[in-house]
Amino acid sequence: MGDQHVIALDLGGTKLAAGVLDREGGVIRRAQHTTDTSSEDALLAQIERSIDELLDEQVVALGVGIPSLIDQRAGRAGASVNVPLENVDLRDRLAERFGLPLALENDANAAALAEHRFGAGRGAEHMVLLTLGTGIGGGLVLNGELYRGAVGAAAELGHMVIDVDGPRCQGLCPGFGHLEALASGTAARRLAEEVAEAQPDGELARARASGGIVTGVLAAELASAGHGDALEVMERIGFHLGIGIASYVNIFNPELVVIGGGFAQAGDLLLDPARRVVAERALPLARDVVRIVPAELGPEAGLIGSGLVGFEAFDAAPVR
Ligand SMILES: [Zn+2]
């Protein structure tokens, strides 16, 4: 008998990554597709096809990471971000179709598991993960285990209020002044627009005038090159990030706060202002032990974490 493998999926709004993984997080084979967002049926069919094309007799379970609120009682994808999945009993549907143990997991939770096992969080007992992108995803590892809450909907850390009078949050969220609305890549883009407007001689204004969309990532690149107006954007966003992290530090007393996601490539330009706020505003003891560090696994974290929950499902399944 050969080694046991799982098929892992990491579904995002633009791409669907699939892979065959071993227990050490190694990716043995992989495939990538442009996410079919035309309809729910089309997307479900694409998910099934992407599993089908990787299946072989060594595959013992499936792990599926989705950008959704998940009700783990029913294995149901509730509301989703950027993909047409709403109130779908995805776990039953795929388990029936493939006859294998299967776990569904929120994508940021999966990334937290992966960083904890194989990345920046190795050895930590208590870890907070934030993924900065269009939105802000969150994951919590407490007492060495992923914390899922009562039904699986926990750790939506991007949806903590940091300004009660702040702007409306994004997408499906009915809240105002959430961290996601003030420290995501989207928030950086909005702020960069404002700064470009206010400083017409600055580098952000120049980038915009030459036809570029001033994204959060572009603002980060201009800040890395030392341009003052872009640095101002990173400083402000990093401040908001630090306000949020200071509360997580007070509540959870983690050893580590791990920052990943596309916009996190801003690195210390973003993390240093956040570290300063935490040092100034979080409670003693907790603030003295926490370290705020970049993630290590990059865009692979979601896929690797989905593989880990696939193995969890296999290990928990009754012996057949
Ligand atoms: Zn929100």
Side-chain angles (χ1 to χ4, degrees):
M1 190 181 123
D3 289 343
Q4 291 168 338
H5 297 155
V6 297
I7 291 176
L9 298 186
D10 181 25
L11 176 66
T14 52
K15 65 181 205 290
L16 169 61
V20 175
L21 276 75
D22 63 25
R23 276 190 191 269
E24 308 315 310
V27 182
I28 292 151
R29 290 200 303 287
R30 68 174 74 230
Q32 190 167 304
H33 311 274
T34 302
T35 306
D36 189 342
T37 54
S38 59
S39 72
E40 189 168 277
D41 284 343
L43 179 56
L44 290 169
Q46 185 184 38
I47 288 171
E48 292 183 359
R49 271 198 313 279
S50 68
I51 294 170
D52 249 333
E53 65 193 28
L54 291 172
L55 261 185
D56 64 26
E57 61 282 3
Q58 278 170 272
V59 171
V60 296
L62 309 171
V64 179
I66 53 179
S68 314
L69 286 172
I70 298 170
D71 186 336
Q72 291 287 2
R73 295 169 300 185
R76 180 177 300 146
S80 304
V81 183
N82 296 327
V83 295
L85 288 180
E86 197 161 351
N87 295 325
V88 188
D89 290 330
L90 197 56
R91 187 170 62 205
D92 285 354
R93 180 184 166 120
L94 295 177
E96 253 168 54
R97 166 78 167 71
F98 295 101
L100 290 169
L102 179 139
L104 280 187
E105 194 52 84
N106 168 269
D107 53 0
N109 281 0
L113 259 187
E115 288 289 344
H116 179 251
R117 191 75 62 83
F118 301 118
R122 279 189 308 269
E125 274 289 289
H126 311 285
M127 182 194 106
V128 171
L129 172 116
L130 296 174
T131 59
L132 310 182
T134 314
I136 294 185
L140 287 173
V141 173
L142 303 176
N143 298 312
E145 292 193 1
L146 190 67
Y147 179 76
R148 292 185 171 95
V151 304
E156 290 294 337
L157 302 176
H159 301 282
M160 180 171 70
V161 177
I162 62 169
D163 177 1
V164 285
D165 299 314
R168 169 74 201 270
C169 201
Q170 311 189 110
L172 311 154
C173 179
F176 289 82
H178 288 178
L179 185 67
E180 173 164 314
L182 292 162
S184 59
T186 308
R189 177 168 56 78
R190 199 181 311 125
L191 185 58
E193 285 289 335
E194 284 173 30
V195 171
E197 201 68 46
Q199 300 181 28
D201 297 332
E203 203 57 37
L204 291 168
R206 196 165 311 147
R208 194 174 60 163
S210 62
I213 300 168
V214 186
T215 61
V217 170
L218 176 61
E221 282 166 12
L222 293 175
S224 300
H227 297 291
D229 54 345
L231 282 166
E232 218 175 278
V233 172
M234 293 303 117
E235 184 73 29
R236 188 78 196 147
I237 296 290
F239 173 80
H240 286 142
L241 187 62
I243 292 289
I245 292 172
S247 288
Y248 307 136
V249 167
N250 290 346
I251 297 166
F252 299 112
N253 181 202
E255 298 128 282
L256 277 181
V257 177
V258 177
I259 310 292
F263 180 54
Q265 72 182 74
D268 285 343
L269 294 173
L270 208 54
L271 299 191
D272 279 343
R275 290 174 181 126
R276 278 198 300 278
V277 178
V278 171
E280 284 168 15
R281 300 200 182 188
L283 290 164
L285 289 182
R287 77 173 177 225
D288 301 335
V289 298
V290 71
R291 289 187 302 124
I292 301 170
V293 301
E296 289 180 4
L297 301 177
E300 289 281 89
L303 189 71
I304 293 170
S306 297
L308 286 171
V309 296
F311 277 112
E312 274 183 14
F314 173 71
D315 293 338
V319 179
R320 284 150 302 157

